């Protein structure tokens, strides 16, 4: 069906259009055989009553919804119901409630959900969606931060002042600024006036997709008793439960979220995006499980994207290399809704000095609404973006000062006890060791021979840091129980997304209880069964959930030793666990196997009674020393971050001056893990982070046309690296300076390993060919044109 002709544009530059939303969708008559196997699996898992929902999306970047006509859609055989925003007028958001389950009076980006067609088969749902008629009045849009910040620009959220938000957000009513994180320290202007060198620059980072192989999917069902169960591929089961209950007006006890293994997250499956559609639809069509599954194009268009950034930097320094002042202004393209993305902006605004000791600082981090898809969490949580500009700028500063770039970083590196930009003190870390070891691994200062006359070799070193971005009351909990054979079930609600989380939790419990990790089953989350976890984000679960598991294991050990002590008379102080037995330091022959007592108890040989009983335990952890209370105009006061993980990386890069093509010979990355619970997993995270960082700087970016339509929503046009693009060598280096409050000294490292990679490449290019590229991605074509210019 074709689109009816639209009337000519009105004088105010708006236009009215009526669309049959599925008109561009190819015919689906031949899909029955293709989807038959998937349908069979669905029936096995959820029964033959499973319904399918097709989401109807906006074709406009900004438009008012004038009418929705479901008459033709409802006549399609198999269609059960058409649901619109009027049926489900629910707002939601983790940090700011600025988004609805389905659009209400207007749409704010191409791909925003307008309605859903629920049917008995995916094919019927698609046919119904093709016949749903939506009439729009097209409105002016703002597709860049420059347009959105203009005085005469369109206001994307006129009701911004009314949106509920967390207390540390500072939306600016009457503008497109959803949040403005300010940080002021010292006297920046006086320091610039006294500096020997002042250097300015602007750097840009585009939007990126998470590109997880598994797309988003959700199945939800509400039973006749009003109990909502949701199966989702998520990093945040408890957060989802909370937002579902809050938005849909349900009690938390009546919402259950079950999450299996996740096929790639990188932040894209944190919080709530499309999952709330499945939950809401289940309340509208009770008694049936309903499935919503994103296609690859929907995955690109309507899940969180990494936000675009324009960064303006001004740095002052003395001739000896001491950095005295920093002014860093960050304009974030946060998209149409910022309910999660604004916290990325907040986190970056607290730490955009990088891991350096700078006495005079002015940071402005602005979360700007645009009419592009919503931005949100992505591995690195804003640090990768601002680090591209900052570390690029420091290499330029080193050249201006005629100082070795490695020495410049060493000289200004922050150390334990130094004052952080917001007034707290820096935790122990091995930053200088990491810088030295990364430089050593690439033979810094040693000239590499080129393989051909048209190839140049460049080297670079960059430093990085990141703190877990989380509210001060982000808690973790763990349930632990022994079984009759002495094995253990551990119930936690962090998510295994490939980082080795389940193994690390088993290792922590094993270390305390002397039970091999292979005999500890760590369960995937089910909010009815497993203990609470805020979210699997911020690289904090090894630290936070690890502390909860440690507490549960220690409680279980205490209960075991107390029962044995009560029966056998040995003091608890001389009892210990070893090799799945209770042993005694004062009686080497004393040995009680755990399997004989952890469920049935300890038998008293004097009278045949038993003491103890089934060993169950729980643990919890919350960073009780943190607070977000600070002066909104200066950012001073409080302790918004629990600690920083630091590191450094080095690269050896080949550049072909005839083509602009680049080849990575070697990347070495050193990270201070505090204490590596699983060194092999840490090394794996280093390799994976390096490769993902190279992908963002050399290959990836999301591109939009002048109407806000995404031009590359598939892997055909959105380029990601393959095995042929892997560096010749990646050298993982684990530094260990213990985190005092971490489990066995551990802290998180998962996101950090990609943060420094983009500026590494940019700096190595300048070292090789003398060209500075200030915009990502740095493709061969862009580099060749820069060299040619």
């Amino acid at each position: 069906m074709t689109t009816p002709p639209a009337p000519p544009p009105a004088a105010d530059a708006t236009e009215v259009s009526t669309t049959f939303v599925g008109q561009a969708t190819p015919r689906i008559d031949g899909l029955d055989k293709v989807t038959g196997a998937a349908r069979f699996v669905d029936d096995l898992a959820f029964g033959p009553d499973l319904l399918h929902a097709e989401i109807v999306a906006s074709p406009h970047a900004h438009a008012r919804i004038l009418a929705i006509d479901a008459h033709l859609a409802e006549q399609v055989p198999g269609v059960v119901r058409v649901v619109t925003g009027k049926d489900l007028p629910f707002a939601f958001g983790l940090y700011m409630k600025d988004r609805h389950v389905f659009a209400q009076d207007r749409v704010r980006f191409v791909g925003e959900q307008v309605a859903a067609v629920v049917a008995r088969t995916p094919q019927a749902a698609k046919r119904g969606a093709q016949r749903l008629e939506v009439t729009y009045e097209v409105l002016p849009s703002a597709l860049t931060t420059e347009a959105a910040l203009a005085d005469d620009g369109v206001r994307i959220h006129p009701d911004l002042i009314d949106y509920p938000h967390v207390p540390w957000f500072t939306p600016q009513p009457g503008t497109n600024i959803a949040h403005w994180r300010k940080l002021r320290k010292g006297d920046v202007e006086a320091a610039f006036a006294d500096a020997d060198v002042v250097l300015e620059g602007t750097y840009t980072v585009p939007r990126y997709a998470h590109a997880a192989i598994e797309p988003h999917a959700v199945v939800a069902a509400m039973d006749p008793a009003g109990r909502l169960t949701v199966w989702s591929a998520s990093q945040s089961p408890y957060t989802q439960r909370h937002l579902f209950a809050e938005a849909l007006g349900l009690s938390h006890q009546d919402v259950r979220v079950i999450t299996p293994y996740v096929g790639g997250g990188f932040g894209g499956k944190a919080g709530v995006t499309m999952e709330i559609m499945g939950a809401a639809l289940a309340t509208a069509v009770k008694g049936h499980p309903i499935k919503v599954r994103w296609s690859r194009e929907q995955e690109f268009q309507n899940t969180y994207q990494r936000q675009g950034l324009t960064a303006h930097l001004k740095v002052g320094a003395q001739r000896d290399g001491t950095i005295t002042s920093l002014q860093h202004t960050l304009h974030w393209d946060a998209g149409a809704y910022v309910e999660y993305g604004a916290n990325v902006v907040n986190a970056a605004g607290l730490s955009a000095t990088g891991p350096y000791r700078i006495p005079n600082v002015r940071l402005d981090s602005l979360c700007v609404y645009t009419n592009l898809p919503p931005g949100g969490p992505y591995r690195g949580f804003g640090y990768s973006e601002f680090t591209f500009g900052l570390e690029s700028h420091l290499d330029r500063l080193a050249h201006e000062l005629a100082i070795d770039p490695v020495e410049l970083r060493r000289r200004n590196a922050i150390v334990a006890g130094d004052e952080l930009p917001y007034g707290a003190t820096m935790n122990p870390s091995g930053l200088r060791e990491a810088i030295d070891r990364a430089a050593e691994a690439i033979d810094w200062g040693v000239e590499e021979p080129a393989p051909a006359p048209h190839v140049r070799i460049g080297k670079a070193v960059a430093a990085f840091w990141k703190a877990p971005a989380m509210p001060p009351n982000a808690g973790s909990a763990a349930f632990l129980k022994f079984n009759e054979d002495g094995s253990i079930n551990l119930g936690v609600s962090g998510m295994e997304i490939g980082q080795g989380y389940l193994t690390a939790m088993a290792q922590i419990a094993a270390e305390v209880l002397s039970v091999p990790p292979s005999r500890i089953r760590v369960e995937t989350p089910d909010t009815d069964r497993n203990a609470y976890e805020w979210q699997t984000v911020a690289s904090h679960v090894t630290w936070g959930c690890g502390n909860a598991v440690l507490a549960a294991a220690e409680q279980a050990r205490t209960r075991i030793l107390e029962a044995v002590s009560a029966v056998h008379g040995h003091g608890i102080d001389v009892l210990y666990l070893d090799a799945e037995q209770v042993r005694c330091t004062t009686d080497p022959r004393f040995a009680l196997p755990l399997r004989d007592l952890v469920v049935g108890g300890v038998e008293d040989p004097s009278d045949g009674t038993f003491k103890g009983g089934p060993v169950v335990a729980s643990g919890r952890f919350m960073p009780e020393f943190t607070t977000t209370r600070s002066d909104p105009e200066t950012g001073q006061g409080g302790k918004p971050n629990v600690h920083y993980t630091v590191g450094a990386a080095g690269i050896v890069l080949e550049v072909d001056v005839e083509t602009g093509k680049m080849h990575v010979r070697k990347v070495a990355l050193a990270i201070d893990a505090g204490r590596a619970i699983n060194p092999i997993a840490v090394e794996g995270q280093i390799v994976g982070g390096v490769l993902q960082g190279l992908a963002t700087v050399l290959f990836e970016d999301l591109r939009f046309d002048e109407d806000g339509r995404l031009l590359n929503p598939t892997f055909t046009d959105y380029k990601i690296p393959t095995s042929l693009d892997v560096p010749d060598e990646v050298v993982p280096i684990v530094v260990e300076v213990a985190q005092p409050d971490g489990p066995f000294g551990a802290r998180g490292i998962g996101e950090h390993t990609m943060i420094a990679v983009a500026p590494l490449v940019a700096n190595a290019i300048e070292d090789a060919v003398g060209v500075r590229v200030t915009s990502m991605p740095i493709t061969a074509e862009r580099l060749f044109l820069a060299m040619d210019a």
Side-chain angles (χ1 to χ4, degrees):
M1 182 173 291
T2 59
T3 305
D12 63 354
T14 64
E15 61 178 86
V16 176
S17 68
T18 302
T19 62
F20 291 87
V21 180
Q23 61 198 14
T25 304
R27 290 183 61 83
I28 58 174
D29 297 350
L31 287 181
D32 293 328
K33 291 182 180 179
V34 177
T35 60
R39 176 73 176 167
F40 176 71
V41 172
D42 285 342
D43 286 350
L44 285 178
F46 300 103
D49 289 334
L50 176 70
L51 302 179
H52 300 263
E54 183 71 14
I55 304 301
V56 175
S58 165
H60 303 295
H62 197 199
R64 187 171 288 112
I65 300 172
L66 301 181
I68 300 177
D69 186 349
H71 176 69
L72 294 176
E74 291 171 340
Q75 293 181 356
V76 173
V79 168
V80 174
R81 185 171 177 186
V82 176
V83 179
T84 70
K86 291 183 178 180
D87 302 304
L88 299 170
F90 305 122
F92 71 97
L94 183 58
Y95 295 101
M96 178 183 285
K97 291 181 174 55
D98 65 351
R99 194 171 186 182
H100 284 81
V101 178
F102 290 97
Q104 299 297 297
D105 60 336
R106 69 169 70 190
V107 291
R108 294 180 170 88
F109 69 96
V110 175
E112 180 169 3
Q113 60 273 17
V114 174
V117 176
V118 181
R120 298 193 180 280
T121 66
Q123 295 86 349
K126 286 182 180 291
R127 294 189 181 102
Q130 290 176 334
R131 288 158 177 76
L132 190 76
E133 183 179 346
V134 185
T135 304
Y136 298 93
E137 176 190 0
V138 179
L139 302 172
S141 60
L143 301 178
T144 65
T145 55
E146 293 79 9
L149 291 172
D151 291 338
D152 58 351
V154 60
R155 295 295 172 255
I156 297 170
H157 285 269
D159 300 327
L160 175 59
I161 192 173
D162 299 324
Y163 294 157
H165 58 81
V166 292
W168 61 90
F169 278 10
T170 56
Q172 308 293 303
T175 75
N176 287 320
I177 301 173
H179 176 45
W180 187 339
R181 164 54 71 182
K182 300 178 183 179
L183 199 148
R184 307 287 186 265
K185 178 185 177 185
D187 190 335
V188 172
E189 294 305 323
F192 283 138
D194 291 339
D196 293 325
V197 172
V198 176
L199 184 66
E200 298 188 58
T202 298
Y203 304 84
T204 58
V205 178
R207 286 170 161 253
Y208 291 92
H210 296 82
I213 298 302
E214 176 202 41
H216 280 67
V218 61
V219 176
M222 177 167 270
D223 65 26
R227 169 81 156 157
L228 175 66
T229 302
V230 180
W231 295 263
S232 69
S234 169
Q235 296 174 229
S236 313
Y238 267 97
T239 291
Q240 288 196 344
R241 186 189 72 156
H242 175 62
L243 292 182
F244 295 160
E246 190 176 60
L248 303 176
L250 302 172
S251 171
H252 288 68
Q253 67 179 342
D254 293 327
V255 181
R256 180 186 186 188
V257 177
I258 301 170
T259 52
Y261 293 104
V262 174
F266 314 112
K269 290 169 183 165
V272 172
T273 56
M274 58 82 73
E275 300 88 359
I276 200 167
M277 298 181 218
L281 290 171
T283 69
V285 186
K286 297 181 176 67
H288 289 268
I290 297 176
K291 183 174 186 176
V292 186
R293 180 176 58 188
W294 268 177
S295 67
R296 180 57 60 185
E297 290 195 14
Q298 288 170 312
E299 184 73 14
F300 273 94
Q301 292 172 336
N302 193 358
T303 57
Y304 295 131
Q305 297 176 359
R306 192 171 100 168
Q307 300 176 64
L309 173 65
T310 301
H312 306 280
L313 269 162
K314 183 177 181 181
V315 177
Q318 300 301 318
R319 279 288 169 200
D320 66 357
T322 302
I323 300 173
T324 57
S325 53
L326 169 73
Q327 181 173 299
H328 205 170
T329 303
L330 308 167
H331 290 172
W332 298 87
D333 169 14
Y337 301 100
V338 305
E339 50 89 19
Y340 203 139
N343 204 43
V344 176
V345 175
N346 188 75
L350 290 167
S351 302
T353 59
Y356 302 108
R357 181 178 56 256
I358 305 175
N360 303 286
V361 176
R362 179 189 178 101
L363 300 181
D364 291 278
S365 188
L366 281 68
C367 180
V368 182
Y369 282 120
T370 65
N371 288 117
L372 293 179
Y378 182 104
R379 188 178 191 176
F381 211 74
Y383 286 73
S384 298
E385 295 90 302
F386 78 68
T387 299
F388 171 67
L390 181 63
E391 288 293 312
S392 295
H393 209 65
L394 289 188
D395 255 38
R396 293 178 58 198
L397 180 65
H399 297 325
E400 288 287 328
L401 294 169
I403 291 177
D404 181 277
V406 171
E407 178 57 30
L408 179 71
R409 289 170 170 85
R410 290 191 85 262
R411 190 168 301 180
N412 294 281
I414 197 165
V415 298
D418 281 348
E419 186 177 74
L420 294 165
Y422 40 81
T425 56
M426 178 62 183
N427 55 277
S429 76
L431 178 57
R432 285 181 177 162
E433 180 184 349
I435 293 172
D436 291 343
R437 293 181 67 179
E440 180 184 8
I442 63 166
D443 295 324
W444 179 256
V446 178
E447 187 173 340
E448 300 276 339
H454 59 278
V455 174
R456 305 288 184 270
I457 306 297
K459 293 184 178 182
V461 171
F464 60 88
W465 73 346
K466 184 185 179 298
M470 57 192 200
N473 61 339
S476 301
F479 296 151
L480 184 151
K481 69 169 184 175
F482 272 91
N483 301 306
E484 291 86 344
D485 62 351
S487 64
I488 295 172
N489 288 91
L490 183 60
V492 289
S493 289
M495 276 309 301
E496 177 59 66
I497 50 177
Q499 80 280 46
Y501 161 75
L502 298 183
T503 300
M505 295 304 103
Q507 286 182 270
I508 290 171
E511 187 73 15
V512 175
L513 296 170
S514 81
V515 176
S518 61
R519 284 174 44 78
I520 301 177
R521 181 180 179 87
V522 188
E523 306 289 351
T524 55
D526 176 341
T527 58
D528 265 13
R529 179 189 66 197
N530 292 30
Y532 178 85
E533 179 60 52
W534 170 61
Q535 296 189 86
T536 304
V537 298
S539 301
H540 88 286
V541 290
T542 295
W543 177 72
C545 190
N547 272 320
V549 170
L550 180 64
E554 289 175 342
Q555 185 184 84
R557 179 179 62 189
T558 297
R559 289 177 174 172
I560 291 168
L561 299 184
E562 285 178 343
V564 172
S565 176
V567 171
H568 292 278
H570 296 297
I572 291 179
D573 58 330
V574 299
L575 295 174
Y576 65 98
L577 303 182
D578 180 56
E580 300 184 81
Q581 299 179 91
V582 180
R583 305 299 301 267
C584 181
T585 59
T586 59
D587 183 358
R589 294 173 299 175
F590 186 84
L592 293 179
L594 292 181
R595 66 176 180 272
D596 293 343
L597 61 92
V598 289
V599 172
V602 183
E603 184 177 7
D604 188 333
S606 65
D607 58 10
T609 61
F610 288 81
K611 302 293 188 295
V615 176
V616 295
S618 64
R620 64 180 185 177
F621 177 76
M622 182 175 286
E624 297 177 347
F625 52 86
T626 60
T627 174
T628 56
R629 292 186 179 180
S630 61
D631 185 334
E633 293 301 316
T634 67
Q636 296 301 311
K639 186 176 173 58
N641 290 324
V642 293
H643 59 249
Y644 286 88
T645 297
V646 302
I651 192 171
V652 181
L653 181 73
E654 294 180 2
V655 179
D656 186 325
V657 296
E658 295 180 350
T659 64
K661 293 183 69 173
M662 290 159 280
H663 175 72
V664 182
R665 282 190 180 182
K666 186 176 189 178
V667 176
L669 191 142
I671 191 164
D672 180 5
R675 175 76 179 275
I677 299 296
N678 188 324
I680 294 175
V682 173
E683 292 180 359
Q685 286 296 297
I686 290 173
V687 173
V690 165
L691 298 182
Q692 190 169 0
L694 289 172
T696 61
V697 67
L698 296 176
F699 297 91
E700 301 179 44
D701 71 326
L702 291 169
R703 301 185 182 186
F704 300 84
D705 67 14
E706 64 276 6
D707 295 317
R709 295 184 179 89
L710 182 59
L711 296 174
N712 54 335
T714 70
F715 287 136
T716 301
D717 298 308
Y718 186 85
K719 299 301 183 184
I720 59 175
T722 69
S723 58
L724 299 178
D725 303 302
V726 174
D728 293 343
E729 185 179 8
V730 177
V731 181
I733 302 168
V734 181
V735 175
E736 293 184 303
V737 176
Q739 178 62 32
D741 55 7
F744 304 108
R747 64 173 76 87
I749 57 91
E751 296 172 90
H752 308 70
T753 55
M754 73 170 288
I755 291 173
V757 177
L760 268 186
V761 172
N763 292 342
I765 287 171
E766 185 178 43
D767 184 55
V769 298
V771 172
R772 170 59 60 182
V773 183
T774 59
S775 297
M776 293 169 60
I778 307 176
T779 61
E781 178 185 18
R782 177 172 287 179
L783 177 56
F784 177 81
L785 293 174
M787 291 188 295
D788 189 56

